[in-house]
Amino acid sequence: MLMTVEHLRKFVDTEAPDELLAEHLAALEAAIRQETHNTFTERGFRHVTAIQGGVMLTPSLRILTGDTVQIGEQLYTVLPDSMLSPAPADTDSAVLHRVAYPPDVVMGCVEILRYKLSRAGQNAADRAGIASETISRHSVTFSGEDAYSGVLGVPARLTKFLDRYRKARF
């Protein structure tokens, strides 16, 4: 999990319901992982365990409640008593990798969500980065600062923090 809704509310003042913020966080996490081709798993940490009924039978001392682990391509959140959410299929040998996002990625995501939530009520022309528009002979000038990035749909200046985490895709 990128961060909890409670952690996000420390930085963003909004009246949006918790369910909406949780969906925004999940979508942003998936988009960042797709955009950077980076899984953000901790190098050198690998834990093999059996899973029955969504519970790790041999929990690791380094995996804490609230952590995110990756099994295969799927992400799971560790709940109390070593339960995983959503519950994975039962297996005798699952390889867990702990996912940890660097602080600058977390704060960059806070800025992206702050931008998206503040712009949610504005009309499409304001969100499109239009600096000026002339009616006669129809001329539209787009602002250079608000060049929008592809996947995330926010100005490119808000996604600069991801550049150092991009991995080559072969």
Side-chain angles (χ1 to χ4, degrees):
M1 177 181 312
L2 190 60
M3 71 181 87
T4 63
V5 174
E6 293 80 24
H7 189 244
L8 176 66
R9 287 200 183 272
K10 292 178 185 177
F11 303 106
V12 177
D13 186 29
T14 181
E15 297 297 322
D18 288 350
E19 295 82 18
L20 177 67
L21 294 176
E23 291 298 322
H24 273 298
L25 286 169
L28 186 58
E29 179 178 18
I32 285 175
R33 289 170 64 96
Q34 178 185 1
E35 182 77 10
T36 61
H37 306 292
N38 191 338
T39 59
F40 295 98
T41 54
E42 288 185 10
R43 289 185 180 197
F45 178 79
R46 189 179 87 116
H47 180 67
V48 180
T49 183
I51 298 176
Q52 287 185 348
V55 177
M56 293 185 290
L57 296 183
T58 55
S60 169
L61 296 176
R62 291 182 53 194
I63 299 176
L64 306 173
T65 300
D67 283 350
T68 301
V69 294
Q70 180 174 338
I71 303 173
E73 294 296 318
Q74 184 70 29
L75 295 178
Y76 300 94
T77 303
V78 179
L79 302 175
D81 298 326
S82 299
M83 292 191 65
L84 297 174
S85 172
D90 292 349
T91 182
D92 292 332
S93 177
V95 179
L96 279 73
H97 298 278
R98 188 170 141 193
V99 177
Y101 295 97
D104 59 333
V105 171
V106 173
M107 292 311 294
C109 292
V110 167
E111 292 301 319
I112 289 173
L113 286 174
R114 183 179 294 144
Y115 175 83
K116 283 188 169 195
L117 292 171
S118 69
R119 306 282 289 211
Q122 297 179 357
N123 64 27
D126 291 338
R127 288 192 308 246
I130 296 175
S132 66
E133 184 173 0
T134 307
I135 301 298
S136 177
R137 299 283 185 172
H138 189 62
S139 172
V140 177
T141 305
F142 294 95
S143 63
E145 176 190 354
D146 286 336
Y148 281 76
S149 69
V151 174
L152 300 176
V154 297
R157 63 183 163 79
L158 292 177
T159 60
K160 283 290 190 191
F161 70 94
L162 292 176
D163 289 345
R164 73 178 70 132
Y165 298 105
R166 293 186 197 280
K167 290 190 175 181
R169 187 173 179 190
F170 296 104

